[in-house]
């Protein structure tokens, strides 16, 4: 597939350019055929694979991964990551050899930062007030508390140094840095998260099904201040999505999940336009996580899930998996098993050599933990195994042992979430909605087909 080549091509181009960056990177697709991992499998091999892992790494550590699996066990998923890392090494070696032969000297870049004397002034005026403000439990109240400090200090700094020195860029960057330092210190030094939870705690979960009486299936899933309303529509096979397959393989799909993130979900106004990268990426992740759980030979309907994000404070894509799973069950779709998803974060401290010396893994991260910490690792799974995954990392790389620990934290969280979802609905409805289309399959004696369908 061209996606792997595009990553390698971009990495190689940056290596020979004068642009400074933290590469090179290796990229590989990992499949598993008959229990054996395969690097960059062919399209024919992928049809038999129960794993589709896009893995990107540097010489020693994981940088990114994304994909889906047919309920792969955690320990096998970790082995797949290790296999992908090993496959990346020769790709990185080749790029280094290319850079030695054709690379340009790297240009020097000067970072645009807040001057140290101004930064010291911001620190002095803020004092120790940011900690209590950041520990405000409720999201909007926390934002208001921090904003009040920012406006007060910005006004004092402007009065002292003038508008030319205290620009909006300086204020924004200074407070981003101060808030980031404080959030990380609270986690690493004080053992405190902003909303008061323990590091392994999942926020309070509530869910409902059948909330929209006219739809074929519906559910509301809420985890803390993140809420998704999922709506299921059932159609015939004529409603499946057709697409061009330039590499062979399927040319249609019968399971669709569309994710919508309106501005009001984060308390903002704005113009509603076509889907952006968030909508496309989050929807694709949630769709992959659920699609493998439907056998369309057994349930020959086209299924469209619409996930409407009503409130957002961390991992709406995983809330879409949970809500989508419940809505499918409410519609009578026979999922192999219910599926849940969770996001796991990470806060690190590094030594003088850039190696991680201290870290805390954060289960079910909120938005500010995503913004100010180092990782957003999304894992969707049934009780049997992992179905979807995506890693966003702000670090230059992450050791496999820490990644393995995060995957275990995700398993524990998903087990808890599945138990909470089961209290609402633990299996598919025996009867579909009276508004849903009915598909009836009849076996006809071949000699009598003419009598059935006529001339």
């Amino acid at each position: 597939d061209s996606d792997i080549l595009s990553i390698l091509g971009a990495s190689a181009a940056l290596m020979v350019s004068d642009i400074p960056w933290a590469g090179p990177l290796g990229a590989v697709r990992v499949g598993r055929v008959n229990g054996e991992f395969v690097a960059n499998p062919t399209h024919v091999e992928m049809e038999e694979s129960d794993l589709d892992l896009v893995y990107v790494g540097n010489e020693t550590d994981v940088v990114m991964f994304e994909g889906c699996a047919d309920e792969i066990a955690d320990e096998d998923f970790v082995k797949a990551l290790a296999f992908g890392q090993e496959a990346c090494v020769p790709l990185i070696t080749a790029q280094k050899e290319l850079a030695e032969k054709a690379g340009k000297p790297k240009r020097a870049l000067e970072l645009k930062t807040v001057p140290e004397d101004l930064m010291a002034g911001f620190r002095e005026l803020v004092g120790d007030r940011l900690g209590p403000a950041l520990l405000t439990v409720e999201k909007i109240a926390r934002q208001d508390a921090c904003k009040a400090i920012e406006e007060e200090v910005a006004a004092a700094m402007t009065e002292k140094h003038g508008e030319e020195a205290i620009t909006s860029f300086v204020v924004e960057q200074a407070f981003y840095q101060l808030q980031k330092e404080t959030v990380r210190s609270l986690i690493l030094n004080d053992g405190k998260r902003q909303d008061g939870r323990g590091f392994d705690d999942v926020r309070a979960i509530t869910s409902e099904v059948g909330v929209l009486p006219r739809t074929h299936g519906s559910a509301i899933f809420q985890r803390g201040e993140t809420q998704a309303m999922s709506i299921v529509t059932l159609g015939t096979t004529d409603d499946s999505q057709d697409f061009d397959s330039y590499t062979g393989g399927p040319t249609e799909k019968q399971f669709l999940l569309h994710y919508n993130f309106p501005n009001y979900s984060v308390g903002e106004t704005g113009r509603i336009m076509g889907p952006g990268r968030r909508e496309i990426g989050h929807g694709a992740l949630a769709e992959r996580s659920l699609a493998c759980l439907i056998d369309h030979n057994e349930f020959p309907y086209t299924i469209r899930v619409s996930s409407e994000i009503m409130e957002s404070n961390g991992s709406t894509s995983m809330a879409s998996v949970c809500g989508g799973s419940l809505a499918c069950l409410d519609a009578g779709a026979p999922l192999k098993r219910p599926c849940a998803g969770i996001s796991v974060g990470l806060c690190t401290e590094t030594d003088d050599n850039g190696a991680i010396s201290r870290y805390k893994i954060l289960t079910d991260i909120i938005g500010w933990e995503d913004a100010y910490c180092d990782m957003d690792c999304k894992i969707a799974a049934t009780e049997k195994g992992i179905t979807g995954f995506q890693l966003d990392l702000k670090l230059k790389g992450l050791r496999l042992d820490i990644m393995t620990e995060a995957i275990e934290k995700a398993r524990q969280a998903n087990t808890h979430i599945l138990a909470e979802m089961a209290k609402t609905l633990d299996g598919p409805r025996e009867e579909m909605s009276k508004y849903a289309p009915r598909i009836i399959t009849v076996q006809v004696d071949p000699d009598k087909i003419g009598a059935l369908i006529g001339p």
Side-chain angles (χ1 to χ4, degrees):
D1 277 326
S2 58
D3 52 1
I4 299 299
L5 289 173
S6 69
I7 299 171
L8 293 169
S11 177
L14 286 166
M15 284 298 291
V16 299
S17 77
D18 65 347
I19 301 171
W21 76 302
L25 297 176
V28 63
R29 171 171 267 102
V30 178
R32 188 172 68 165
V33 182
N34 297 323
E36 298 293 328
F37 294 121
V38 181
N40 294 323
T42 64
H43 300 299
V44 173
E45 287 174 323
M46 280 304 295
E47 291 177 8
E48 303 298 322
S49 175
D50 63 354
L51 172 68
D52 183 3
L53 164 65
V54 173
Y55 182 95
V56 178
N58 56 30
E59 286 187 285
T60 57
D61 301 323
V62 60
V63 174
M64 183 280 283
F65 59 68
E66 183 169 4
C68 57
D70 187 5
E71 299 183 288
I72 189 172
D74 286 21
E75 56 269 26
D76 291 337
F77 181 58
V78 171
K79 291 176 182 176
L81 297 179
F83 179 88
Q85 178 60 44
E86 186 178 343
C88 284
V89 174
L91 302 168
I92 291 172
T93 301
Q95 293 178 62
K96 284 187 168 182
E97 292 174 358
L98 176 65
E100 289 177 2
K101 296 176 180 179
K104 299 177 182 178
K106 297 298 184 183
R107 73 179 77 168
L109 294 180
E110 183 179 347
L111 291 177
K112 188 177 180 182
T113 59
V114 179
E116 289 186 12
D117 59 328
L118 294 181
M119 197 69 209
F122 278 104
R123 288 186 194 281
E124 182 180 353
L125 289 172
V126 169
D128 57 2
R129 290 183 292 166
L130 260 184
L134 286 165
L135 290 174
T136 306
V137 173
E138 199 269 331
K139 174 185 173 181
I140 301 299
R142 184 188 314 121
Q143 291 176 344
D144 291 345
C146 292
K147 191 66 178 177
I149 297 172
E150 179 181 333
E151 290 175 351
E152 176 198 324
V153 171
M157 288 291 288
T158 301
E159 183 178 349
K160 182 176 181 180
H161 297 279
E163 292 184 358
E164 289 188 5
I166 309 301
T167 62
S168 59
F169 169 82
V170 168
V171 174
E172 178 185 326
Q173 291 299 309
F175 268 84
Y176 175 82
Q177 184 63 32
L178 290 171
Q179 289 178 170
K180 182 176 180 179
E181 290 174 1
T182 307
V183 168
R184 297 170 76 92
S185 177
L186 287 169
I187 291 170
L188 291 172
N189 299 324
D190 301 335
K192 293 181 180 179
R193 298 180 71 172
Q194 289 173 275
D195 57 6
R197 280 180 295 145
F199 293 129
D200 298 337
D201 292 347
V202 177
R203 288 172 291 174
I205 291 172
T206 58
S207 58
E208 300 177 61
V209 293
V211 292
L212 300 175
R214 189 57 180 79
T215 61
H216 301 162
S218 62
I220 291 179
F221 177 86
Q222 178 140 1
R223 189 187 65 250
E225 295 169 310
T226 292
Q227 184 185 85
M229 174 180 283
S230 298
I231 304 161
V232 166
T233 306
L234 302 177
T236 68
T237 52
D238 289 341
D239 296 317
S240 62
Q241 181 179 352
D242 296 326
F243 53 89
D244 294 329
S245 179
Y246 59 91
T247 58
T251 58
E252 64 178 21
K253 60 180 180 179
Q254 285 180 253
F255 186 86
L256 317 170
L257 192 150
H258 297 138
Y259 165 103
N260 297 307
F261 189 89
N263 309 91
Y264 65 73
S265 66
V266 286
E268 297 175 359
T269 59
R271 184 167 54 170
I272 303 296
M273 302 178 66
R277 63 184 184 88
R278 168 191 283 274
E279 286 78 11
I280 293 170
H282 282 32
L285 173 59
E287 180 180 292
R288 288 194 304 265
S289 300
L290 293 172
C292 68
L293 300 173
I294 290 284
D295 183 350
H296 290 285
N297 293 319
E298 177 188 350
F299 192 73
Y301 291 86
T302 296
I303 303 171
R304 190 232 180 185
V305 182
S306 175
S307 180
E308 309 293 328
I309 303 306
M310 313 299 285
E311 183 181 17
S312 173
N313 188 14
S315 200
T316 50
S317 64
M318 295 297 95
S320 298
V321 171
C322 301
S325 177
L326 285 170
C328 284
L329 296 175
D330 184 52
L335 298 180
K336 293 179 186 176
R337 275 162 288 276
C339 186
I342 195 66
S343 179
V344 177
L346 179 71
C347 185
T348 64
E349 186 175 272
T350 56
D351 59 23
D352 294 338
N353 298 319
I356 295 174
S357 56
R358 281 201 302 164
Y359 67 90
K360 291 289 185 182
I361 292 176
L362 313 171
T363 297
D364 185 16
I365 57 174
I366 60 174
W368 282 23
E369 290 173 336
D370 184 6
Y372 295 129
C373 296
D374 302 317
M375 182 177 80
D376 181 3
C377 179
K378 304 179 185 75
I379 302 285
T382 67
E383 63 180 7
K384 183 180 177 182
I386 295 171
T387 60
F389 42 84
Q390 183 184 72
L391 172 65
D392 298 332
L393 199 64
K394 295 187 180 73
L395 304 171
K396 295 179 181 179
L398 184 64
R399 302 196 316 256
L400 183 59
D401 63 308
I402 301 177
M403 191 72 254
T404 302
E405 190 177 340
I407 292 168
E408 170 58 21
K409 297 293 186 185
R411 186 196 65 77
Q412 295 171 7
N414 279 329
T415 299
H416 166 72
I417 296 169
L418 286 169
E420 292 296 309
M421 291 166 56
K423 295 177 183 177
T424 301
L425 188 61
D426 61 357
R429 301 275 194 202
E430 292 184 3
E431 287 292 327
M432 295 191 303
S433 165
K434 65 181 181 180
Y435 302 114
R438 292 297 191 275
I439 297 175
I440 301 172
T441 303
V442 179
Q443 297 296 329
V444 179
D445 185 332
D447 295 336
K448 297 183 179 180
I449 288 178
L452 176 69
I453 67 173

PDB file of all heavy atoms in Angstrom, residues 161-176:
ATOM      1  N   HIS A 161       5.496  46.790  31.028  1.00  0.00           N
ATOM      2  CA  HIS A 161       6.446  46.679  29.909  1.00  0.00           C
ATOM      3  C   HIS A 161       5.931  47.255  28.598  1.00  0.00           C
ATOM      4  O   HIS A 161       6.703  47.388  27.640  1.00  0.00           O
ATOM      5  CB  HIS A 161       6.804  45.206  29.683  1.00  0.00           C
ATOM      6  CG  HIS A 161       7.494  44.565  30.843  1.00  0.00           C
ATOM      7  ND1 HIS A 161       8.849  44.710  31.087  1.00  0.00           N
ATOM      8  CD2 HIS A 161       7.022  43.774  31.840  1.00  0.00           C
ATOM      9  CE1 HIS A 161       9.178  44.027  32.177  1.00  0.00           C
ATOM     10  NE2 HIS A 161       8.084  43.449  32.657  1.00  0.00           N
ATOM     11  N   GLY A 162       4.659  47.601  28.525  1.00  0.00           N
ATOM     12  CA  GLY A 162       4.113  48.176  27.303  1.00  0.00           C
ATOM     13  C   GLY A 162       3.547  47.129  26.364  1.00  0.00           C
ATOM     14  O   GLY A 162       3.907  45.950  26.402  1.00  0.00           O
ATOM     15  N   GLU A 163       2.638  47.581  25.471  1.00  0.00           N
ATOM     16  CA  GLU A 163       1.959  46.668  24.553  1.00  0.00           C
ATOM     17  C   GLU A 163       2.897  46.079  23.504  1.00  0.00           C
ATOM     18  O   GLU A 163       2.658  44.984  22.999  1.00  0.00           O
ATOM     19  CB  GLU A 163       0.799  47.392  23.864  1.00  0.00           C
ATOM     20  CG  GLU A 163      -0.340  47.748  24.807  1.00  0.00           C
ATOM     21  CD  GLU A 163      -1.516  48.377  24.078  1.00  0.00           C
ATOM     22  OE1 GLU A 163      -1.404  48.552  22.842  1.00  0.00           O
ATOM     23  OE2 GLU A 163      -2.525  48.709  24.720  1.00  0.00           O
ATOM     24  N   GLU A 164       3.949  46.796  23.151  1.00  0.00           N
ATOM     25  CA  GLU A 164       4.875  46.276  22.142  1.00  0.00           C
ATOM     26  C   GLU A 164       5.611  45.047  22.649  1.00  0.00           C
ATOM     27  O   GLU A 164       5.903  44.120  21.889  1.00  0.00           O
ATOM     28  CB  GLU A 164       5.885  47.360  21.739  1.00  0.00           C
ATOM     29  CG  GLU A 164       5.281  48.481  20.917  1.00  0.00           C
ATOM     30  CD  GLU A 164       6.340  49.425  20.384  1.00  0.00           C
ATOM     31  OE1 GLU A 164       7.551  49.143  20.581  1.00  0.00           O
ATOM     32  OE2 GLU A 164       5.968  50.438  19.769  1.00  0.00           O
ATOM     33  N   ALA A 165       5.917  45.011  23.947  1.00  0.00           N
ATOM     34  CA  ALA A 165       6.637  43.866  24.518  1.00  0.00           C
ATOM     35  C   ALA A 165       5.679  42.733  24.878  1.00  0.00           C
ATOM     36  O   ALA A 165       5.969  41.556  24.651  1.00  0.00           O
ATOM     37  CB  ALA A 165       7.427  44.299  25.747  1.00  0.00           C
ATOM     38  N   ILE A 166       4.526  43.074  25.428  1.00  0.00           N
ATOM     39  CA  ILE A 166       3.577  42.053  25.891  1.00  0.00           C
ATOM     40  C   ILE A 166       2.506  41.866  24.819  1.00  0.00           C
ATOM     41  O   ILE A 166       1.382  42.369  24.903  1.00  0.00           O
ATOM     42  CB  ILE A 166       2.955  42.436  27.243  1.00  0.00           C
ATOM     43  CG1 ILE A 166       4.051  42.804  28.243  1.00  0.00           C
ATOM     44  CG2 ILE A 166       2.107  41.289  27.796  1.00  0.00           C
ATOM     45  CD1 ILE A 166       5.057  41.681  28.494  1.00  0.00           C
ATOM     46  N   THR A 167       2.878  41.171  23.777  1.00  0.00           N
ATOM     47  CA  THR A 167       1.942  40.894  22.683  1.00  0.00           C
ATOM     48  C   THR A 167       1.068  39.694  23.044  1.00  0.00           C
ATOM     49  O   THR A 167       1.314  38.991  24.034  1.00  0.00           O
ATOM     50  CB  THR A 167       2.712  40.581  21.394  1.00  0.00           C
ATOM     51  OG1 THR A 167       3.510  39.408  21.602  1.00  0.00           O
ATOM     52  CG2 THR A 167       3.630  41.745  21.018  1.00  0.00           C
ATOM     53  N   SER A 168       0.054  39.454  22.228  1.00  0.00           N
ATOM     54  CA  SER A 168      -0.813  38.292  22.459  1.00  0.00           C
ATOM     55  C   SER A 168      -0.013  36.989  22.363  1.00  0.00           C
ATOM     56  O   SER A 168      -0.283  36.029  23.088  1.00  0.00           O
ATOM     57  CB  SER A 168      -1.961  38.278  21.452  1.00  0.00           C
ATOM     58  OG  SER A 168      -1.467  38.236  20.117  1.00  0.00           O
ATOM     59  N   PHE A 169       1.002  36.969  21.474  1.00  0.00           N
ATOM     60  CA  PHE A 169       1.855  35.780  21.354  1.00  0.00           C
ATOM     61  C   PHE A 169       2.607  35.529  22.660  1.00  0.00           C
ATOM     62  O   PHE A 169       2.682  34.388  23.136  1.00  0.00           O
ATOM     63  CB  PHE A 169       2.858  35.954  20.212  1.00  0.00           C
ATOM     64  CG  PHE A 169       3.941  34.907  20.182  1.00  0.00           C
ATOM     65  CD1 PHE A 169       3.715  33.660  19.611  1.00  0.00           C
ATOM     66  CD2 PHE A 169       5.193  35.159  20.744  1.00  0.00           C
ATOM     67  CE1 PHE A 169       4.704  32.689  19.606  1.00  0.00           C
ATOM     68  CE2 PHE A 169       6.182  34.189  20.738  1.00  0.00           C
ATOM     69  CZ  PHE A 169       5.931  32.957  20.161  1.00  0.00           C
ATOM     70  N   VAL A 170       3.166  36.589  23.243  1.00  0.00           N
ATOM     71  CA  VAL A 170       3.929  36.447  24.491  1.00  0.00           C
ATOM     72  C   VAL A 170       3.033  35.938  25.608  1.00  0.00           C
ATOM     73  O   VAL A 170       3.406  35.021  26.357  1.00  0.00           O
ATOM     74  CB  VAL A 170       4.587  37.793  24.869  1.00  0.00           C
ATOM     75  CG1 VAL A 170       5.126  37.749  26.301  1.00  0.00           C
ATOM     76  CG2 VAL A 170       5.703  38.134  23.892  1.00  0.00           C
ATOM     77  N   VAL A 171       1.846  36.509  25.739  1.00  0.00           N
ATOM     78  CA  VAL A 171       0.918  36.080  26.802  1.00  0.00           C
ATOM     79  C   VAL A 171       0.511  34.624  26.594  1.00  0.00           C
ATOM     80  O   VAL A 171       0.539  33.808  27.527  1.00  0.00           O
ATOM     81  CB  VAL A 171      -0.325  36.989  26.831  1.00  0.00           C
ATOM     82  CG1 VAL A 171      -1.352  36.447  27.829  1.00  0.00           C
ATOM     83  CG2 VAL A 171       0.059  38.416  27.182  1.00  0.00           C
ATOM     84  N   GLU A 172       0.144  34.293  25.369  1.00  0.00           N
ATOM     85  CA  GLU A 172      -0.299  32.921  25.069  1.00  0.00           C
ATOM     86  C   GLU A 172       0.805  31.916  25.361  1.00  0.00           C
ATOM     87  O   GLU A 172       0.568  30.878  26.007  1.00  0.00           O
ATOM     88  CB  GLU A 172      -0.728  32.835  23.596  1.00  0.00           C
ATOM     89  CG  GLU A 172      -1.160  31.453  23.162  1.00  0.00           C
ATOM     90  CD  GLU A 172      -1.465  31.390  21.680  1.00  0.00           C
ATOM     91  OE1 GLU A 172      -1.962  32.403  21.121  1.00  0.00           O
ATOM     92  OE2 GLU A 172      -1.212  30.350  21.058  1.00  0.00           O
ATOM     93  N   GLN A 173       2.007  32.195  24.889  1.00  0.00           N
ATOM     94  CA  GLN A 173       3.113  31.255  25.078  1.00  0.00           C
ATOM     95  C   GLN A 173       3.542  31.152  26.541  1.00  0.00           C
ATOM     96  O   GLN A 173       3.853  30.067  27.041  1.00  0.00           O
ATOM     97  CB  GLN A 173       4.312  31.676  24.216  1.00  0.00           C
ATOM     98  CG  GLN A 173       4.083  31.521  22.725  1.00  0.00           C
ATOM     99  CD  GLN A 173       3.812  30.076  22.343  1.00  0.00           C
ATOM    100  OE1 GLN A 173       4.561  29.174  22.704  1.00  0.00           O
ATOM    101  NE2 GLN A 173       2.729  29.856  21.619  1.00  0.00           N
ATOM    102  N   ALA A 174       3.548  32.274  27.239  1.00  0.00           N
ATOM    103  CA  ALA A 174       3.956  32.268  28.645  1.00  0.00           C
ATOM    104  C   ALA A 174       2.987  31.431  29.476  1.00  0.00           C
ATOM    105  O   ALA A 174       3.412  30.604  30.299  1.00  0.00           O
ATOM    106  CB  ALA A 174       4.032  33.700  29.182  1.00  0.00           C
ATOM    107  N   PHE A 175       1.694  31.626  29.252  1.00  0.00           N
ATOM    108  CA  PHE A 175       0.722  30.876  30.053  1.00  0.00           C
ATOM    109  C   PHE A 175       0.633  29.420  29.637  1.00  0.00           C
ATOM    110  O   PHE A 175       0.364  28.546  30.477  1.00  0.00           O
ATOM    111  CB  PHE A 175      -0.647  31.559  30.015  1.00  0.00           C
ATOM    112  CG  PHE A 175      -0.822  32.514  31.154  1.00  0.00           C
ATOM    113  CD1 PHE A 175      -0.333  33.810  31.060  1.00  0.00           C
ATOM    114  CD2 PHE A 175      -1.406  32.109  32.337  1.00  0.00           C
ATOM    115  CE1 PHE A 175      -0.447  34.696  32.122  1.00  0.00           C
ATOM    116  CE2 PHE A 175      -1.516  32.970  33.406  1.00  0.00           C
ATOM    117  CZ  PHE A 175      -1.038  34.266  33.307  1.00  0.00           C
ATOM    118  N   TYR A 176       0.849  29.135  28.371  1.00  0.00           N
ATOM    119  CA  TYR A 176       0.908  27.720  27.975  1.00  0.00           C
ATOM    120  C   TYR A 176       2.047  27.027  28.723  1.00  0.00           C
ATOM    121  O   TYR A 176       1.879  25.938  29.270  1.00  0.00           O
ATOM    122  CB  TYR A 176       1.118  27.587  26.467  1.00  0.00           C
ATOM    123  CG  TYR A 176       1.317  26.150  26.026  1.00  0.00           C
ATOM    124  CD1 TYR A 176       0.229  25.309  25.817  1.00  0.00           C
ATOM    125  CD2 TYR A 176       2.599  25.622  25.844  1.00  0.00           C
ATOM    126  CE1 TYR A 176       0.395  23.995  25.434  1.00  0.00           C
ATOM    127  CE2 TYR A 176       2.782  24.308  25.471  1.00  0.00           C
ATOM    128  CZ  TYR A 176       1.680  23.502  25.260  1.00  0.00           C
ATOM    129  OH  TYR A 176       1.873  22.199  24.893  1.00  0.00           O
TER     130      TYR A 176
END
